[in-house]
Amino acid sequence: MNKRKLASLEIKNDKGFIFPVMSFIDSLVQRHTSIDASRYQQIRFVALEVLKQRIENSYPGSKGEIFVELYIVGDFFEISVRDKGIPGWQDFSFDKSGIAKNRKDLRNYMISLYVDEIGMEKLGSEGQRVFVRKKILNPLNFVEPEPYAETAIL
């Protein structure tokens, strides 16, 4: 399967980075993919949950780096969260009868509805990676972004 990296961000495990990271992803998706808004909002919800979970649990009591990577993999858009912290594999299972009472079951049920693929990988000394993928309907070819010009003073 053809895999192209769109972007890679390295951030500290600080909740203050969540909004800027998600804003960057929003901007990149609007400019360089053909995923429709409703499908993107679904994968965005799941990526946000994974990012928050890894920021909160990857380096308890200390600071570390988290890597957010975006890919086009065949006909799929992928958001990946990777870190070298404590392996804290999120359990994505749920009890369908408990979704009205249990927040974790409800979240995991929604995740199962919102993404086409979710996966977790152990990367040895490189840590672990959680990825979510959503199929792009009618994909367009990725267009390399123009280099940013120097900032203009208005």
Side-chain angles (χ1 to χ4, degrees):
M1 197 178 289
N2 187 16
K3 186 172 186 173
R4 286 188 309 246
K5 185 182 276 190
L6 301 178
S8 181
L9 301 170
E10 179 179 344
I11 62 171
K12 298 293 180 193
N13 64 322
D14 183 323
K15 288 182 183 181
F17 287 104
I18 292 173
F19 180 74
V21 167
M22 296 311 292
S23 293
F24 174 78
I25 293 171
D26 293 344
S27 174
L28 185 80
V29 166
Q30 288 174 1
R31 290 190 174 122
H32 300 293
T33 70
S34 61
I35 193 167
D36 65 271
S38 63
R39 295 177 68 75
Y40 173 64
Q41 287 305 315
Q42 293 171 346
I43 192 173
R44 186 185 194 282
F45 168 80
V46 176
L48 179 62
E49 287 296 317
V50 169
L51 180 60
K52 286 192 311 191
Q53 190 271 340
R54 292 313 299 157
I55 284 175
E56 292 170 359
N57 300 310
S58 59
Y59 302 95
S62 64
K63 296 290 180 192
E65 291 79 30
I66 293 180
F67 304 89
V68 180
E69 299 164 329
L70 292 89
Y71 297 94
I72 297 292
V73 183
D75 290 345
F76 291 87
F77 176 66
E78 176 183 302
I79 300 174
S80 168
V81 179
R82 180 173 54 88
D83 63 76
K84 295 181 183 180
I86 294 172
W89 298 113
Q90 185 171 349
D91 178 12
F92 295 107
S93 64
F94 60 90
D95 175 10
K96 204 167 187 178
S97 65
I99 61 175
K101 302 176 221 162
N102 184 318
R103 183 178 185 271
K104 179 184 167 193
D105 284 335
L106 176 60
R107 182 194 66 211
N108 289 348
Y109 175 68
M110 290 175 68
I111 286 171
S112 74
L113 294 175
Y114 283 177
V115 296
D116 295 320
E117 294 180 35
I118 188 160
M120 296 171 272
E121 296 178 303
K122 291 184 180 180
L123 304 172
S125 64
E126 291 300 309
Q128 53 275 335
R129 176 176 101 97
V130 179
F131 67 87
V132 292
R133 291 183 184 153
K134 188 76 174 174
K135 187 160 179 69
I136 301 172
L137 301 178
N138 303 317
L140 299 174
N141 289 329
F142 175 71
V143 178
E144 290 290 331
E146 294 288 326
Y148 289 106
E150 292 185 31
T151 304
I153 300 173
L154 302 176

